[in-house]
Amino acid sequence: MPQVDYSWIETEIKKAKLFEKYIDAPIESCAELLSHLVKELDERNARLLAAKILLLRAERRKLTQSELRKLYEDADRCFQ
């Protein structure tokens, strides 16, 4: 019988903890946020989490359209 790989659970728990740690952190750019996240996660998961954090921050704040556009563009760069 093959062994079941449960490592994805550890990754999801780590992502949840990092989300809580960085959602209110004073880091504003994708590059800076990624530099912290890639220490804990693989690059793909770090990019997805960074984008999620930046998008949720943008939704929480009352921003002007230009400020909002800038945050969305930065979050989009996280995917590249």
Side-chain angles (χ1 to χ4, degrees):
M1 184 175 209
Q3 287 285 70
V4 179
D5 181 16
Y6 292 109
S7 63
W8 65 272
I9 295 171
E10 292 174 7
T11 301
E12 291 303 312
I13 291 169
K14 190 180 291 187
K15 284 172 28 182
K17 287 180 180 179
L18 289 169
F19 177 85
E20 290 299 319
K21 180 177 180 179
Y22 289 106
I23 189 65
D24 293 319
I27 301 168
E28 292 295 327
S29 75
C30 176
E32 188 178 356
L33 188 53
L34 274 175
S35 72
H36 293 281
L37 295 175
V38 294
K39 294 175 186 174
E40 302 284 336
L41 298 168
D42 61 84
E43 186 173 348
R44 179 181 172 276
N45 279 312
R47 287 183 175 281
L48 291 172
L49 184 58
K52 178 180 178 178
I53 289 170
L54 291 173
L55 291 172
L56 285 173
R57 282 183 187 171
E59 291 173 4
R60 287 176 159 188
R61 299 176 182 166
K62 295 192 185 294
L63 301 174
T64 65
Q65 286 298 105
S66 63
E67 291 171 322
L68 195 58
R69 189 176 322 109
K70 181 182 174 194
L71 281 177
Y72 282 138
E73 288 170 357
D74 198 34
D76 191 45
R77 279 191 288 276
C78 286
F79 290 117
Q80 300 171 4

